[in-house]
Amino acid sequence: MTQSDSDVFSLPAEADTHDHDYHQLVVVLDGNTDFDIQGKGKQLHTGEGCILPSANSHAFAGLGENRIMVVNLPIPPQKSITDEEYEVVSRLFDQAAYFQLNPRLQILASALSGELQQYPNDLMLARACGNTLLSAIRHQINNKDVRTRGNQLDIDKLDQFIELNLSRRVHIDQLANFCFLSVSQFHERFKDRTGMTPHQYLMRKRLERAQSLLAEGFPPIQVAEMCGFSSQSAMTNVFSQTLGITPLKYQKQFSNR
C-alpha cells in the first residue's frame, strides 16, 4: 500500500508485510482479505476493516476478487486539517483494532469509494472523503450504545446499499453481512419480511433498473453491465421468463412512441 490521502484498490493474492510512519484506516468494500496486525490475524469481509497505527507491522493478502478503501492520516497533519481536528481523529489510532461498520456507514463508504474511483486525481476530494469516513467511524466506535449484532432487518437501508452496488456482482453473503446476520438468519428474516428470497429480490431490482435504462435508450449490452447481469444473454433470459419479451423488443416499444 502506497501513501496517498485515500484510495480504492484491490489487494494481491501474494502476502506482503510492511509498516509505515503514518496512520491508516482500511475498509473492505467487496470480497474477503486476510490481515495480520503484529501477530493478531483476522479474515476481513465486506463492511469490516481495521485501524493501523503508525509503525505497527502488518501483513495482508487478498482472497480472490476484492476491493478495499484506504485512508491515510499523515504525521504531522496536512494543512487541510487543523491541529484540533487531527488530535480528535488520531485518538482512533491509540491502538490497532478490527471493526465492523454499521449499515449506514457501509452505504457511506460505498458512496465515497465511488466518488474516489470516478475522480482518482482529485486530491481535495480524496482528503474530504477520507476525513468524512474517519470522522463517521470515530463516532460509531465511540458510541458504546450502538448494537452491532442482531439488528432488525432494515429494508430501506438495504435498498440503498443494493442501489449503490447493483452494477457489481452483489452476493447474498454481502447482504447478510450488511445486516449483521448469518446467511441463514438473513434468508429466513428476509423472506418473512418481503415474501421472496434475497435472490428473487435482487433479480427484481436488476430488472427494474434494466427496464428504466432501456427506456432511456441505452444499448442492451451496456444495460446488462450497468445492472450487474453476468452477460447480455443472462439479462435476456430474465426478461423473457419474467416479462415474456426480449430487452430489444422492450426497448423498441419506447422508440416507436
Side-chain angles (χ1 to χ4, degrees), residues 16 33 53 55 66 68-69 83 88 112 115 117 126 130 132 135 138 146 154 183 189 202 234 239-240 246 251 253:
D16 190 15
T33 63
N66 69 89
I68 67 169
M69 181 176 180
D83 291 342
V88 170
L112 292 177
E115 293 302 307
Q117 289 182 295
T132 297
S135 297
R138 175 177 65 87
V146 172
D154 192 324
V183 172
R189 293 191 190 185
L202 272 174
F239 257 79
S240 300
T246 66
Q251 189 171 56
Q253 292 178 348

Side-chain angles (χ1 to χ4, degrees), residues 208-240:
E208 288 173 353
R209 178 178 288 186
Q211 288 176 274
S212 177
L213 292 173
L214 288 168
E216 293 175 25
F218 287 91
I221 190 170
Q222 186 177 354
V223 172
E225 182 179 351
M226 294 169 69
C227 297
F229 288 101
S230 58
S231 64
Q232 184 178 343
S233 61
M235 181 177 74
T236 299
N237 288 336
V238 172
F239 257 79
S240 300

Side-chain angles (χ1 to χ4, degrees), residues 143-207:
N143 185 357
K144 295 183 175 59
D145 295 327
V146 172
R147 293 184 301 167
T148 58
R149 291 287 174 184
N151 290 353
Q152 294 295 317
L153 196 64
D154 192 324
I155 298 297
D156 289 336
K157 285 190 174 65
L158 195 62
D159 277 344
Q160 292 178 52
F161 181 79
I162 291 172
E163 289 296 327
L164 283 168
N165 294 279
L166 201 57
S167 61
R168 296 193 286 270
R169 297 293 299 276
V170 180
H171 299 286
I172 303 304
D173 59 346
Q174 289 178 283
L175 300 181
N177 186 63
F178 177 80
C179 297
F180 304 116
L181 296 168
S182 69
V183 172
S184 59
Q185 287 176 322
F186 173 73
H187 193 281
E188 181 181 356
R189 293 191 190 185
F190 190 91
K191 192 169 183 180
D192 286 344
R193 181 77 177 273
T194 65
M196 64 182 76
T197 68
H199 177 74
Q200 291 170 332
Y201 191 82
L202 272 174
M203 283 299 104
R204 191 182 77 174
K205 288 291 184 181
R206 295 192 196 285
L207 186 62

Side-chain angles (χ1 to χ4, degrees), residues 75-106:
I75 304 172
Q78 295 177 333
K79 293 180 180 179
S80 60
I81 184 171
T82 66
D83 291 342
E84 182 180 2
E85 289 171 331
Y86 176 81
E87 182 179 353
V88 170
V89 175
S90 64
R91 289 174 190 161
L92 269 177
F93 300 92
D94 286 341
Q95 61 182 357
Y98 294 105
F99 60 83
Q100 182 169 18
L101 297 181
N102 64 40
R104 187 179 68 252
L105 291 192
Q106 288 191 47

